[in-house]
Each structure stands twice: as structure tokens, then as C-alpha cells.
Amino acid sequence: MRPFDCYKGSILVAQQDPQRAVEEIDRLGDDPGMVQVLLGSAGEAPLGRSSYHPIYDACVRHGLPVALHLGAEGTGTSSPATPVGHPSTYFEWYGALPQSYMAHISSMVTEGVFERFPTLKVALYEGGVFWLPHLMWRFDKNWKAQRSETPWVKRPPSSYILDHFFSTTYPLEATPDPKHLPGILDIIQAERTLLFSSNYPNWEYGDPFDMVRDVPDGLRRRVLVDNALAVYGDRLLRPNR
């Protein structure tokens, strides 16, 4: 075994240039050391737009999930970090970051990404999960009244979200009362959709194992091991080249 065979990599692409992104995915997509295609959550447009569809087609062709990572909102050519403009403190900026995921999820579902690419999986890194129930409920409510606008969205939006999006535990929100956590985990179907992440080697937001301390015993094996294997497939354990 070569050194570091236990580590796996992400194919980092610039979504603002889909053609070059596809070339990079095709160059590395069959390498067993690569397990996902990484996009930044910061960008010029929501990720459901058809200009990004060639990237998703390449991901599906190589059997790779898409990974989104929060950060860089409001910098370079990306949109402001909040819908009302730029925050004035890091505290405000960081607290508002899940809004990026809300916008990208809404866009990908509404633009029919998962009807066109029914096997595509999307992993959301460092976004937490407590905002997901609100998004699913509001999205479903509006779809019932406005579904004629998007006839290609054939199911309630929450069903696309639960089938295609996966969240990570770093940083998992700390509840004022541990009794609140099981209800949230049940709503988001954490037995399938929640993946342990350590954020190694950076632990600025706390101990990654402490964050999953209150996850019910019946879910722990799935969150810590089985869900990642289901999302990433056998190449997660396959030796690297």
C-alpha cells in the first residue's frame, strides 16, 4: 500500500466555465482516488440554471456526487452573501450562509435538474440541518399553489430534496434541549441523508464527535459509516491508484 491510500480526493472545478469543468471531470472522473466533484456555493447564478447541466451530466456519467462547500460568498465575481447585500461582520456573514444552500436547492429542484438527472446526488458541506424543514414545508406549500409554472416538477419539492441532497454533521447545530434533535433528524430522514464529517484538520467550531453526541443510538452507525458508503459507493473503500 502506498502512503496515504486511505485518503480520497475531490475534483475541484470552476462552475463559471462549464466546458472546462466537464473536461476536468472527464480527465479525473475514473480515478478511484476521486469520489466527488466539488463546487463552491458562492457563484454568479443559482446552480439549477441550464448552463450548469453539462457539469451534472459529467458527474452522472462518472458516477460522482456533486459536493457543495459554503464559503467565499460576497467575494470576487460571486453574489453578495445575503439577498439584501453585504454583511458588515464575519459573525453576520457566517450566520447567513445557509441562505446560499436554500437558494441553490430551490433552483435545482425548480429548474428540473433531478428530472433530467435522476441519479444525481448532492452533498452539502458545513451548512447544518435545522433550516431544512422550513425550506421543505414552505417549498411544498408554494408548489401546491404554483405548480403550473413548472410542470416538469412532478413531485413535491421535499421529495426531491430528501432523495438527492445529503448533509454533513460539521457543524451540526447544538440544540438548547437534546430532546429537540430527534424530531429534526426524523424530518430530514437522517437515517439516509446525514453524513459524519470531521472537518479535519480544522476544528475551529468544536469537537466533531461532540457534535454527534446526542444523535440517537439507532442512527449512529448509519450517520458515522453506512450513509457515506451509500452516497459514495464502493470507490470510497477501493485502493487508490
Side-chain angles (χ1 to χ4, degrees), residues 111-140:
E111 297 277 0
V113 168
F114 303 108
E115 285 294 331
R116 182 171 179 182
F117 306 105
T119 62
L120 183 66
K121 300 173 183 177
V122 183
L124 307 173
Y125 281 79
E126 290 199 28
V129 300
F130 273 51
W131 49 270
L132 264 171
H134 159 76
L135 177 65
M136 291 192 296
W137 293 336
R138 183 178 178 86
F139 213 176
D140 281 358

Side-chain angles (χ1 to χ4, degrees), residues 63-217:
L64 293 167
V66 170
L68 300 184
H69 199 293
L70 286 176
E73 276 78 356
T75 64
T77 60
S78 67
S79 302
T82 78
V84 294
H86 299 280
S88 57
T89 65
Y90 177 83
F91 174 52
E92 181 184 357
W93 175 85
Y94 189 77
L97 282 180
Q99 296 177 32
S100 293
Y101 280 168
M102 294 181 198
H104 288 314
I105 290 171
S106 299
S107 174
M108 294 179 81
V109 171
T110 303
E111 297 277 0
V113 168
F114 303 108
E115 285 294 331
R116 182 171 179 182
F117 306 105
T119 62
L120 183 66
K121 300 173 183 177
V122 183
L124 307 173
Y125 281 79
E126 290 199 28
V129 300
F130 273 51
W131 49 270
L132 264 171
H134 159 76
L135 177 65
M136 291 192 296
W137 293 336
R138 183 178 178 86
F139 213 176
D140 281 358
K141 173 183 69 70
N142 292 345
W143 175 77
K144 291 174 184 177
Q146 298 170 303
R147 58 193 296 181
S148 61
E149 279 190 279
T150 55
W152 50 85
V153 181
K154 299 175 182 179
R155 298 184 279 138
S158 63
S159 69
Y160 291 101
I161 293 171
L162 292 172
D163 284 349
H164 296 277
F165 288 94
F166 303 85
S167 300
T168 62
T169 61
Y170 194 98
L172 186 64
E173 296 92 337
T175 59
D177 187 330
K179 294 196 298 288
H180 298 157
L181 183 61
I184 296 294
L185 297 182
D186 182 60
I187 292 168
I188 68 167
Q189 297 184 13
E191 71 275 8
R192 298 187 306 102
T193 68
L194 188 62
L195 315 177
F196 174 77
S197 62
S198 70
N199 206 49
Y200 176 83
N202 300 309
W203 295 315
E204 65 270 31
Y205 297 114
D207 183 335
F209 289 99
D210 189 56
M211 292 176 185
V212 297
R213 179 190 58 204
D214 296 321
V215 170
D217 290 342

